[in-house]
Amino acid sequence: MSTDAHAGRMTEVSDKFGITPEDYMLPARHMINLLDPDGTLRPQDKQGTEPGHEYPLPSPARLMEAYSALVTGRRVNDQNSALVRQGRMAVYPSSHGQEACQVAAALCLEEGDWLFPTYRDTVAVLTKGVAPMEVMTSFRGEWHCGYDPKAYNCAPMATPLTTQLLHAVGVAHAAKLRGEDTVVVAMCGDGATSEGDFHEALNFAAVFNLPVIFFVQNNKYAISVPFSQQSAAPSLAHKAVGYGMAGERVDGNDLMALMAVMTRAVRLAREGNGPLLVEAHTYRMQAHTNADDDKRYREDAEVAEWKAKDPVIRIQSYLDDAGLLTEQATAEITEKAEAVAKTLRDGMNQDADTDPRELFEHVYSSKTPQMAEQQAMLADELAREEA
Amino acid sequence: MSTDAHAGRMTEVSDKFGITPEDYMLPARHMINLLDPDGTLRPQDKQGTEPGHEYPLPSPARLMEAYSALVTGRRVNDQNSALVRQGRMAVYPSSHGQEACQVAAALCLEEGDWLFPTYRDTVAVLTKGVAPMEVMTSFRGEWHCGYDPKAYNCAPMATPLTTQLLHAVGVAHAAKLRGEDTVVVAMCGDGATSEGDFHEALNFAAVFNLPVIFFVQNNKYAISVPFSQQSAAPSLAHKAVGYGMAGERVDGNDLMALMAVMTRAVRLAREGNGPLLVEAHTYRMQAHTNADDDKRYREDAEVAEWKAKDPVIRIQSYLDDAGLLTEQATAEITEKAEAVAKTLRDGMNQDADTDPRELFEHVYSSKTPQMAEQQAMLADELAREEA
Amino acid sequence: MTTTTSRVNPNVSDATARAAAKAATENQPVTFGKALNTALADALTAEQSVVIFGEDVGTLGGVFRITDGLTARFGNERCFDTPLAESGIVGMAVGMAMNGMRPVIEMQFDAFAYPAFEQIASHVAKMRNRTQGRLPLPMVIRIPYAGGVGGVEHHCDSSEAYYAHTPGLKVFTPATVADAYLMLREAIDSEDPVVFFEPKKLYWSKEQVNLEELAAQYEAGKAAETEGKARIARAGSDATLITYGPSVSTCMQAAKVAAEEGISLEVIDIRTIVPFDDESVAASVRKTGRAIVVAEAQGFASVASEIVARVQERCFHSLAAPVLRVTGFDIPFPAPTLEKYNLPSVERILDTVDQLQWEA
Amino acid sequence: MTTTTSRVNPNVSDATARAAAKAATENQPVTFGKALNTALADALTAEQSVVIFGEDVGTLGGVFRITDGLTARFGNERCFDTPLAESGIVGMAVGMAMNGMRPVIEMQFDAFAYPAFEQIASHVAKMRNRTQGRLPLPMVIRIPYAGGVGGVEHHCDSSEAYYAHTPGLKVFTPATVADAYLMLREAIDSEDPVVFFEPKKLYWSKEQVNLEELAAQYEAGKAAETEGKARIARAGSDATLITYGPSVSTCMQAAKVAAEEGISLEVIDIRTIVPFDDESVAASVRKTGRAIVVAEAQGFASVASEIVARVQERCFHSLAAPVLRVTGFDIPFPAPTLEKYNLPSVERILDTVDQLQWEA
Ligand SMILES: Cc1ncc(C[n+]2csc(CCOP(=O)(O)OP(=O)(O)O)c2C)c(N)n1
Ligand SMILES: Cc1ncc(C[n+]2csc(CCOP(=O)(O)OP(=O)(O)O)c2C)c(N)n1
Ligand SMILES: [Mg+2]
Ligand SMILES: [Mg+2]
């Protein structure tokens, strides 16, 4: 590896593991993968771990917590898709098939840590604790994000791709300047890694040595564009070395591996080792949104192949084999998921109650004369309409 | 190295050299450096070359051609700085100390190839063949770039950092679609690599497999900001792997190494092996521009250290030792340089002859009614003034 | 028009293309989207240097299907997907235009063109001028824009003012099916960069238009030019509604209702914001003596402001009332539950007509 | 004002700061640049959550030295350099403002803010609204702008219209040394994001201003508010020149010359483009009956257009002539040899005054 490298901080970190900075920064030779598609634990030498890239198995309790969130996540995805079909919701970008990533992104964080989600990360936001109807506000077609980001330490789900990664860096930087040890998980998709803001965010995080985990769900498509047309890199995790940070690849349908990798990433970041880039290999099982027609750009066979790697079934078999899925546990988990689904059904079946006059209330901290004038004009129209 | 990597094209290329794709993409362990600061040829095992990163020495004829351009380049830098001091030119960002990079960037190209320079790359543009006074037009304070980019296959010197790299990609792409084998060298500084456009340009070039050499002059400063605050990467050349292209580091004050590395890069690109990223380690010996005061942010000692590595003296000693610098050769080279300097002096001492009415002529292909109206108004003012 | 020797594979002969267009257009009403699609296909056929690229414009045919079928018909070298990066798309287009191509690129939605703003403002707009005319940049940036389709945040901006304010760009926006075809052909054939705004609510609107005939006229140089030529969409005598893009249809409806109430409104469809047709607009307002500018974008420092300023300057002594505006409010676009309160509506236009100081 | 517990090292006591300011201001005229610098220092002192960052603002003190000495005095955690990336700077500022800081960031030159346009238009402007007021973004984006300093291409843009057209942003631009101080303090203390335009030709202009006194007044809440309050820079009765930023001084000169010719011009300095002071402007024009809007930016779809539109709407029946404009031409800024032909000049303003249809 490069001996002229001036990888200051990375040298310190890699020294702890007795490897070169570049071996620390580059992802492990194989992606981290603890469970096989059928739910069996892989032999240790097949897990992809290696010196400097070691991942102890998560505890049963933690796995069960994650599994419960996963079941809820799947239920929520499918409930929301149904609500869209019924015309109760405007649009929904489902993460069906990616729920293990979503759950791990939220559960790896501790009290006070922040999450920066995209439009596809409903399940992560829910898992972070945001109330179901609040999460879904914008997808109903309301004009605001629906929840208080500061109450949940969870940013609004970002629509303009990649832009939120820089906000994540800013949140971490502010915390660091105040001496708080906040860790931030910033999410984006494979397509989003092509935007300039991705580059700027990773570079800022590395230069300021901030505890940000950039978590990329590589679901193989950006709407219709396959990954092969998005990047020619060996993997997205390989980009880390270009910023002087550590990168890792993980099986994004393997909840156990995700929990292991993300938990360790958060710990490393919190300990001051700088940002990390984690690429999860997963698959978008459904269309981009309900408005998309994925038959136009991919084969059913490809989708079927990934169906066999379903993250829910995989961890379920493992937990079942491990004797953790007692009847009671299963019932409780199902009940929890159903309760959330019911909340969504009930909520969505009520019409949102929005007052158009509010449109002028939050543009500025107090209404400018122009805002007041325009609001008055609208109020007058509404009054005449009602009269 | 990563075995899960799907580095398609890079695998093919690296196979030719019998190394892994990542060993091909990552820069060689040491930067390529053929001449010591005192001009002696380094022993082969100290040149930084290694399998897949092999650099035969340039021929004496080619070195002499480059040396001549180097001498002219240095002369031009110093002449221009003098003209600025005399108030004959508005601003000049000198590349004093970086001339070897500039010369190599232009001389590695062949007929029909394109160069994309920045504001600091006057010497590269001159070496590409643009007439001296044309090159200097914009620095005199005129409103246009002064030369015909298509006549010289040389883009206007870019002021908005990094933006030109994407234009370079476009020029290469257009040529490729027409089946032309045009190679493009796109230049930028260390600071410029932090902009989002750097990322987008490299990614586009790699995904479309275009023959573009991204040539970064890492002169250690972006105005006052030192490289350590610009990037935490082991080197800028390490960024290549994140795009699936090859990166290399070269001593930017070693004309021989630069010629070797750039010539090979152009050849590889022309043969269809995709884009390359070359980082030249050099130093900005003078202030950012005449308007800058570098005493505010760096020590004299640092500058002095680099003075000892001057690219002109280095290659001069080598050529002298090699018996190539005959009295006649030296005289011819000096004369050539002086002739260019004289052209600049004479040209700059004449006032530019510009007609304000022309400001409306090139905004659109033909004047809109609004342009015509505004031009008429100005013409009327001018007429009244003259009257 | 620039012609370049090209190895790009045309794939399909003119005759086949015409036949396809014929089948598609002869007997049935044509959508605005189909007119755009046909214009792109015809331009690809007519000119080897035309290339189309952007996000999802290849296999998928664009999220609005405006490039539908072009990759299949013309090959992946003429119409292709790029990585997801708007600055990259525009910047690469600049380079391609520098090197003999005529790129036609798509920004997926209005607000997603903003990452490319630097490339557009500093290069697309200025390269010709910077090079004293030596490097023209014939390229088209297509931007689906405006509301009325229930789109969520960032999908409904009316961003034309940013570009109209930037010297060196032309800004077109068609409002009819025929104009969709003709103006896109003109934009592609222009030697200047054109930002081409497509009112997305019109994509599915239909009119009885014979595209084949239009194409033949255009290619024979017999179609009336649209650049810099406002269109009198409806003649009237009492007041002028000056508008463009998505608001033209709203103004037409308003004029219809007003007519029933005995007020005769003239409706002018600007068509090209840059260059602006001062002559037609001023002639109308001098005739009617009253004017309202209608546009969806927020009003402050907008194209509507500019039109008001120009009209009052040119028609001051003909004006019986100040020139008024009906525009979007100065708030972020409130998609979708409340967008109707923000969009210029027939009622709001008619209310404003009432305010034009009619003598009793 | 948001206060946050902070471990940021203040480094220097209020008293020391005051003493330094005192020495600097008491006996000699103060430059516009020094007023800005002092405002930044005073804000850093007053409020722990204020942080300053950007390109070259640390050690170097900015290319115009507006942040000179701040890193030395307040430490590298309060005023620091970033990597070279404008979208990164603005985007990071958004996140810091989300998390309790009040970032004050510098764009090195006007045209180099364009790479950040996406972050500014889609986030800085909209975050408060998107979150129903729950995530205010108190931040200031300082932009040196406009011409008159012989700057080369991309260094002299007047880009205020792009931001003024974007709802959710406030847009300030001071024209006097006192306003430079007060308006920057107000901008930093605002709960809303402010794009703060600094006319770079004024950086070295001097006035006799006691900054220490001003600071004391401001901090005691006794300084008159500037936001939304236009300033009558010169009273007059025959016509009103409405202007801002770099053009205020030109208008003042024009008014002086006009006075010698017996014409009394009122000069209004808008100060804050958003929010706009309709009241003061309309009152003046109703009084004088004639108005000219003067601004450096290209005129098409500009702030000047907006002002014309507002004035003619509000003052129609008081107007003896159309509201005219003197602006930059609709061309890329022609720096530096020919910039004088583009900039609004005293002569061009007086010519325009002559066109205001004065009865014989
Ligand atoms: C800046 C920007 N450009 C374009 C879009 C339109 N768009 C929305 S999602 C999407 C694809 C994103 O792909 P990826 O990042 O892989 O995320 P995924 O949808 O697969 O989760 C595109 C192009 C956008 N939202 N923002
Ligand atoms: C987009 C943009 N931002 C800021 C600037 C102002 N600027 C001009 S040169 C420079 C530093 C560039 O440093 P580097 O890329 O290392 O090139 P060098 O000047 O060292 O050759 C800066 C910040 C600019 N020209 N363009
Ligand atoms: Mg994806
Ligand atoms: Mg540099």
Side-chain angles (χ1 to χ4, degrees):
Chain A
M1 285 288 106
S2 300
T3 52
D4 294 348
H6 38 117
R9 191 187 64 240
M10 285 294 103
T11 311
E12 277 170 46
V13 183
S14 61
D15 277 355
K16 295 185 209 164
F17 300 105
I19 55 177
T20 68
E22 269 152 326
D23 273 337
Y24 176 70
M25 287 185 276
L26 285 170
R29 284 159 191 75
H30 299 273
M31 76 176 175
I32 309 304
N33 181 190
L34 305 182
L35 291 183
D36 270 332
D38 65 1
T40 49
L41 188 66
R42 306 189 114 204
Q44 229 191 320
D45 64 333
K46 291 275 177 321
Q47 293 178 357
T49 60
E50 58 185 60
H53 302 255
E54 277 135 342
Y55 296 98
L57 306 188
S59 71
R62 199 146 164 75
L63 276 183
M64 285 299 284
E65 183 194 6
Y67 172 68
S68 172
L70 184 71
V71 170
T72 298
R74 171 62 54 88
R75 186 70 189 88
V76 163
N77 268 332
D78 295 344
Q79 178 64 77
N80 283 336
S81 295
L83 285 163
V84 168
R85 281 192 302 275
Q86 293 153 24
R88 300 303 310 173
M89 229 160 72
V91 65
Y92 185 64
S94 175
S95 65
H96 188 114
Q98 304 176 218
E99 293 96 344
C101 300
Q102 306 263 323
V103 162
L107 288 185
C108 65
L109 294 172
E110 292 173 22
E111 180 85 34
D113 292 343
W114 275 77
L115 183 73
F116 278 77
T118 76
Y119 53 88
R120 196 173 304 286
D121 302 322
T122 301
V123 172
V125 175
L126 265 169
T127 309
K128 185 83 169 76
V130 180
M133 279 303 293
E134 295 187 9
V135 184
M136 297 311 301
T137 306
S138 58
F139 298 115
R140 304 183 76 170
E142 284 183 49
W143 57 273
H144 58 83
C145 78
Y147 53 92
D148 182 349
K150 281 181 173 165
Y152 298 108
N153 286 358
C154 181
M157 283 178 274
T159 301
L161 293 164
T162 329
T163 55
Q164 76 281 4
L165 303 187
L166 281 161
H167 310 164
V169 168
V171 162
H173 203 165
K176 186 180 176 188
L177 288 177
R178 287 197 300 266
E180 300 159 3
D181 70 348
T182 313
V183 171
V184 181
V185 165
M187 305 176 76
C188 76
D190 47 312
T193 65
S194 295
E195 291 276 7
D197 276 0
F198 180 83
H199 180 67
E200 301 189 13
L202 268 70
N203 191 42
F204 274 58
V207 166
F208 294 114
N209 195 27
L210 302 173
V212 182
I213 320 296
F214 297 97
F215 182 54
V216 180
Q217 289 169 77
N218 183 346
N219 65 4
K220 306 299 178 296
Y221 286 91
I223 309 186
S224 71
V225 180
F227 182 62
S228 59
Q229 280 170 256
Q230 200 63 247
S231 172
S235 83
L236 292 171
H238 277 72
K239 291 184 185 286
V241 68
Y243 303 99
M245 63 169 80
E248 197 66 283
R249 286 173 293 185
V250 56
D251 184 326
N253 288 18
D254 175 353
L255 183 62
M256 176 133 53
L258 283 158
M259 289 299 292
V261 169
M262 291 300 283
T263 303
R264 179 182 186 255
V266 168
R267 182 169 53 72
L268 283 171
R270 200 182 315 278
E271 287 169 355
N273 298 307
L276 295 100
L277 170 62
V278 177
E279 178 191 17
H281 280 269
T282 180
Y283 194 78
R284 198 193 72 213
M285 294 298 296
Q286 300 179 345
H288 174 70
T289 67
N290 47 299
D292 178 38
D293 174 10
D294 61 333
K295 299 255 182 285
R296 290 178 78 102
Y297 53 81
R298 64 181 181 186
E299 302 290 332
D300 288 349
E302 186 183 285
V303 181
E305 209 178 286
W306 278 90
K307 208 170 162 63
K309 303 184 198 166
D310 190 290
V312 182
I313 297 172
R314 187 184 304 200
I315 187 75
Q316 202 170 343
S317 328
Y318 172 81
L319 294 172
D320 211 4
D321 289 353
L324 289 162
L325 287 193
T326 60
E327 214 163 292
Q328 196 199 333
T330 303
E332 274 172 26
I333 287 168
T334 309
E335 197 180 318
K336 227 184 211 164
E338 286 307 324
V340 177
K342 181 171 178 349
T343 305
L344 287 171
R345 276 196 311 276
D346 292 351
M348 289 296 166
N349 282 324
Q350 271 164 9
D351 284 324
D353 177 29
T354 39
D355 181 349
R357 276 161 287 232
E358 199 187 340
L359 291 176
F360 302 90
E361 292 296 332
H362 308 293
V363 183
Y364 298 102
S365 54
S366 62
K367 258 172 283 172
T368 62
Q370 288 75 28
M371 286 287 101
E373 226 174 64
Q374 295 177 16
Q375 189 182 41
M377 176 192 147
L378 177 61
D380 180 57
E381 278 184 8
L382 293 170
R384 280 186 290 148
E385 212 173 84
E386 279 158 26
Chain B
M1 286 289 107
S2 298
T3 51
D4 293 350
H6 39 117
R9 191 186 65 242
M10 286 294 101
T11 311
E12 275 169 48
V13 183
S14 62
D15 277 355
K16 297 185 208 163
F17 300 105
I19 55 177
T20 67
E22 270 152 325
D23 274 337
Y24 175 70
M25 287 186 273
L26 285 170
R29 284 159 190 76
H30 299 274
M31 75 178 174
I32 308 304
N33 181 191
L34 305 183
L35 290 183
D36 270 332
D38 66 2
T40 50
L41 187 66
R42 306 189 113 204
Q44 227 191 323
D45 65 333
K46 291 276 177 320
Q47 292 177 356
T49 58
E50 60 185 56
H53 303 255
E54 278 137 341
Y55 296 97
L57 305 189
S59 71
R62 198 145 163 75
L63 276 182
M64 284 299 285
E65 182 194 6
Y67 172 68
S68 173
L70 184 71
V71 170
T72 298
R74 172 61 54 86
R75 186 71 189 88
V76 163
N77 268 332
D78 295 345
Q79 178 63 77
N80 282 337
S81 295
L83 285 163
V84 168
R85 281 192 303 275
Q86 293 153 23
R88 301 301 312 174
M89 229 161 71
V91 65
Y92 186 65
S94 175
S95 64
H96 188 115
Q98 304 176 216
E99 294 94 343
C101 300
Q102 306 263 323
V103 163
L107 288 185
C108 66
L109 293 172
E110 292 174 21
E111 180 84 32
D113 292 343
W114 274 77
L115 182 73
F116 278 77
T118 76
Y119 53 89
R120 198 176 301 289
D121 302 321
T122 301
V123 172
V125 175
L126 266 168
T127 310
K128 185 83 169 77
V130 181
M133 278 305 294
E134 294 186 10
V135 184
M136 298 311 301
T137 306
S138 58
F139 298 116
R140 306 182 76 168
E142 282 182 52
W143 57 273
H144 58 84
C145 77
Y147 53 92
D148 181 349
K150 281 180 174 165
Y152 298 107
N153 285 359
C154 181
M157 284 179 274
T159 301
L161 294 164
T162 329
T163 54
Q164 75 281 5
L165 303 187
L166 281 161
H167 310 165
V169 168
V171 163
H173 202 164
K176 187 180 174 186
L177 288 178
R178 286 198 300 267
E180 299 158 3
D181 72 346
T182 312
V183 170
V184 182
V185 165
M187 304 176 77
C188 76
D190 47 312
T193 66
S194 295
E195 292 277 7
D197 276 0
F198 179 82
H199 179 68
E200 301 188 13
L202 269 70
N203 191 42
F204 274 58
V207 165
F208 294 115
N209 195 27
L210 302 173
V212 182
I213 320 295
F214 297 96
F215 182 55
V216 180
Q217 288 170 78
N218 183 347
N219 64 3
K220 306 301 177 296
Y221 286 91
I223 307 186
S224 71
V225 180
F227 182 63
S228 59
Q229 282 171 254
Q230 200 65 248
S231 172
S235 84
L236 291 171
H238 277 74
K239 290 184 186 286
V241 67
Y243 304 99
M245 64 171 79
E248 198 65 282
R249 287 173 292 185
V250 55
D251 185 325
N253 288 18
D254 176 353
L255 183 63
M256 176 138 44
L258 284 158
M259 289 299 293
V261 168
M262 291 300 283
T263 304
R264 179 183 187 256
V266 168
R267 183 171 50 76
L268 282 171
R270 200 180 317 275
E271 288 169 357
N273 298 307
L276 294 100
L277 171 63
V278 177
E279 178 190 18
H281 281 269
T282 181
Y283 194 77
R284 197 192 73 213
M285 293 299 295
Q286 299 180 345
H288 174 70
T289 68
N290 46 298
D292 178 39
D293 173 9
D294 60 333
K295 300 255 181 285
R296 290 177 78 103
Y297 54 81
R298 64 182 181 186
E299 302 290 332
D300 287 348
E302 186 184 283
V303 182
E305 209 178 285
W306 279 89
K307 208 169 162 59
K309 303 184 200 165
D310 191 290
V312 183
I313 297 171
R314 188 184 304 199
I315 187 75
Q316 201 169 348
S317 326
Y318 172 81
L319 294 173
D320 212 3
D321 290 353
L324 291 161
L325 288 192
T326 60
E327 215 162 292
Q328 197 202 332
T330 304
E332 274 172 26
I333 287 169
T334 309
E335 198 181 318
K336 225 184 214 166
E338 287 308 323
V340 176
K342 183 170 175 348
T343 305
L344 288 171
R345 276 195 312 275
D346 292 351
M348 290 294 166
N349 283 323
Q350 270 164 9
D351 284 324
D353 178 28
T354 37
D355 180 349
R357 276 161 286 231
E358 199 187 341
L359 291 176
F360 302 89
E361 292 295 333
H362 308 294
V363 183
Y364 298 101
S365 53
S366 62
K367 259 173 281 170
T368 62
Q370 288 74 30
M371 288 286 102
E373 226 173 64
Q374 297 178 13
Q375 190 183 40
M377 176 192 147
L378 178 61
D380 180 57
E381 279 184 9
L382 294 169
R384 282 185 290 148
E385 214 172 81
E386 279 159 26
Chain C
M1 191 183 299
T2 313
T3 12
T4 49
T5 32
S6 172
R7 287 229 220 130
V8 172
N9 182 1
N11 253 9
V12 138
S13 73
D14 265 36
T16 326
R18 293 273 175 262
K22 186 172 170 144
T25 57
E26 220 164 50
N27 302 311
Q28 58 199 47
V30 187
T31 64
F32 192 91
K34 180 67 193 168
L36 294 170
N37 178 266
T38 307
L40 292 173
D42 290 355
L44 284 165
T45 304
E47 176 54 67
Q48 278 305 304
S49 57
V50 172
V51 281
I52 295 174
F53 53 93
E55 295 159 8
D56 302 291
V57 300
T59 315
L60 186 65
V63 294
F64 291 109
R65 309 290 187 262
I66 305 303
T67 56
D68 193 22
L70 300 180
T71 300
R73 186 168 150 203
F74 295 94
N76 191 48
E77 298 194 320
R78 304 290 308 278
C79 177
F80 56 88
D81 290 331
T82 64
L84 209 168
E86 292 78 11
S87 185
I89 293 166
V90 174
M92 184 168 80
V94 168
M96 292 179 86
M98 287 171 73
N99 197 7
M101 302 301 240
R102 305 180 87 85
V104 182
I105 59 181
E106 176 174 301
M107 300 280 105
Q108 199 160 79
F109 283 92
D110 27 69
F112 305 144
Y114 301 155
F117 194 69
E118 157 78 342
Q119 287 288 347
I120 298 175
S122 290
H123 293 301
V124 177
K126 300 194 174 80
M127 191 64 84
R128 167 186 281 276
N129 191 66
R130 178 180 302 141
T131 58
Q132 268 188 316
R134 288 155 175 155
L135 266 190
L137 289 187
M139 56 184 275
V140 178
I141 305 176
R142 294 180 39 243
I143 306 186
Y145 84 126
V149 299
V152 294
E153 206 196 346
H154 307 286
H155 291 72
C156 299
D157 284 19
S158 287
S159 50
E160 66 274 19
Y162 297 130
Y163 306 99
H165 181 59
T166 306
L169 302 176
K170 287 182 173 169
V171 180
F172 290 14
T173 180
T176 68
V177 171
D179 274 0
Y181 180 87
L182 286 174
M183 291 174 67
L184 186 49
R185 291 296 308 265
E186 263 191 64
I188 296 172
D189 285 343
S190 171
E191 289 306 308
D192 297 311
V194 176
V195 186
F196 194 88
F197 279 101
E198 302 169 1
K200 62 176 98 59
K201 77 167 187 192
L202 296 184
Y203 278 145
W204 304 273
S205 72
K206 283 183 184 176
E207 289 174 56
Q208 201 83 38
V209 171
N210 188 327
L211 288 181
E212 206 190 342
E213 205 171 283
L214 220 53
Q217 275 174 16
Y218 178 79
E219 295 189 356
K222 287 185 186 140
E225 236 191 318
T226 61
E227 183 182 316
K229 308 285 177 212
R231 183 177 67 90
I232 298 184
R234 178 186 174 115
S237 54
D238 294 333
T240 306
L241 302 181
I242 309 165
T243 189
Y244 55 86
S247 299
V248 171
S249 57
T250 321
C251 287
M252 291 299 277
Q253 281 174 266
K256 206 169 146 222
V257 178
E260 286 158 19
E261 296 171 6
I263 301 173
S264 166
L265 298 179
E266 180 144 310
V267 179
I268 298 198
D269 170 6
I270 289 303
R271 297 211 282 202
T272 70
I273 297 170
V274 180
F276 190 81
D277 184 355
D278 278 313
E279 216 172 294
S280 305
V281 171
S284 171
V285 179
R286 283 197 196 107
K287 178 180 77 176
T288 61
R290 288 178 170 82
I292 298 173
V293 182
V294 182
E296 249 187 59
Q298 59 274 18
F300 201 89
S302 66
V303 171
S305 326
E306 177 62 31
I307 299 177
V308 172
R310 303 184 86 78
V311 167
Q312 69 88 38
E313 188 175 338
R314 283 163 177 74
C315 311
F316 186 73
H317 293 290
S318 315
L319 283 173
V323 183
L324 299 182
R325 287 182 276 181
V326 180
T327 68
F329 296 121
D330 290 310
I331 59 174
F333 192 89
T337 42
L338 300 180
E339 69 170 326
K340 67 173 175 208
Y341 299 103
N342 184 58
L343 295 172
S345 60
V346 170
E347 296 71 41
R348 206 171 280 164
I349 294 169
L350 293 175
D351 280 357
T352 310
V353 169
D354 286 344
Q355 290 163 39
L356 286 175
Q357 313 192 353
W358 306 94
E359 276 88 301
Chain D
M1 191 185 302
T2 312
T3 13
T4 47
T5 32
S6 170
R7 287 225 218 134
V8 172
N9 182 2
N11 253 11
V12 138
S13 73
D14 265 35
T16 327
R18 293 274 175 261
K22 186 171 171 147
T25 58
E26 219 162 51
N27 301 310
Q28 56 198 49
V30 189
T31 64
F32 191 92
K34 180 67 195 169
L36 294 170
N37 178 266
T38 308
L40 292 173
D42 290 357
L44 283 165
T45 306
E47 176 54 66
Q48 278 306 302
S49 56
V50 173
V51 282
I52 294 174
F53 53 92
E55 295 160 8
D56 302 290
V57 300
T59 315
L60 185 65
V63 294
F64 291 108
R65 307 291 185 264
I66 305 304
T67 57
D68 193 23
L70 299 180
T71 300
R73 190 169 147 201
F74 295 93
N76 191 47
E77 298 194 319
R78 303 291 305 281
C79 178
F80 56 88
D81 290 330
T82 63
L84 210 167
E86 292 78 12
S87 184
I89 293 167
V90 174
M92 183 167 81
V94 167
M96 291 180 88
M98 286 172 74
N99 197 5
M101 302 302 239
R102 303 180 88 84
V104 182
I105 59 181
E106 177 174 300
M107 300 282 104
Q108 199 160 80
F109 283 91
D110 26 69
F112 304 145
Y114 301 153
F117 194 70
E118 157 79 341
Q119 285 288 348
I120 298 175
S122 290
H123 293 300
V124 176
K126 299 194 174 83
M127 191 65 85
R128 168 187 279 276
N129 192 66
R130 177 181 304 143
T131 58
Q132 269 189 315
R134 286 153 174 157
L135 265 191
L137 288 188
M139 58 184 276
V140 178
I141 305 176
R142 294 181 39 244
I143 306 185
Y145 84 123
V149 298
V152 294
E153 206 198 343
H154 307 285
H155 291 72
C156 298
D157 283 20
S158 285
S159 50
E160 66 274 18
Y162 297 130
Y163 307 99
H165 181 58
T166 306
L169 302 175
K170 288 181 171 170
V171 181
F172 291 14
T173 180
T176 69
V177 172
D179 275 358
Y181 180 86
L182 288 174
M183 289 174 67
L184 186 49
R185 292 297 308 266
E186 261 190 65
I188 296 172
D189 286 343
S190 172
E191 291 305 310
D192 297 311
V194 176
V195 186
F196 194 87
F197 279 100
E198 302 170 1
K200 63 175 97 60
K201 76 168 188 193
L202 296 183
Y203 277 146
W204 304 272
S205 72
K206 283 182 184 177
E207 289 174 55
Q208 201 83 38
V209 170
N210 189 326
L211 287 181
E212 204 190 344
E213 207 171 280
L214 219 54
Q217 274 174 16
Y218 178 80
E219 293 188 358
K222 287 185 185 141
E225 236 190 318
T226 61
E227 182 183 314
K229 308 283 178 212
R231 183 176 68 88
I232 299 185
R234 178 186 175 114
S237 53
D238 295 333
T240 306
L241 302 181
I242 309 164
T243 188
Y244 55 86
S247 300
V248 172
S249 56
T250 321
C251 287
M252 292 298 277
Q253 281 173 265
K256 209 170 144 223
V257 178
E260 285 157 20
E261 295 172 5
I263 300 172
S264 166
L265 297 179
E266 181 144 308
V267 178
I268 298 200
D269 169 7
I270 289 303
R271 297 213 279 203
T272 67
I273 296 170
V274 180
F276 189 82
D277 184 355
D278 278 312
E279 217 171 294
S280 305
V281 171
S284 172
V285 179
R286 282 196 196 109
K287 180 180 74 176
T288 61
R290 289 178 169 82
I292 298 172
V293 182
V294 183
E296 249 187 59
Q298 59 274 17
F300 201 90
S302 67
V303 170
S305 327
E306 177 63 30
I307 300 177
V308 172
R310 302 185 86 78
V311 167
Q312 70 87 37
E313 186 173 341
R314 283 164 178 75
C315 310
F316 186 72
H317 293 289
S318 314
L319 283 174
V323 184
L324 299 183
R325 287 182 276 181
V326 180
T327 67
F329 295 121
D330 290 309
I331 59 174
F333 192 88
T337 42
L338 299 180
E339 70 170 327
K340 69 173 174 207
Y341 298 103
N342 184 58
L343 294 171
S345 62
V346 169
E347 297 69 42
R348 205 170 281 164
I349 293 169
L350 294 175
D351 280 357
T352 310
V353 169
D354 286 344
Q355 291 163 36
L356 285 174
Q357 312 191 352
W358 307 93
E359 276 87 303

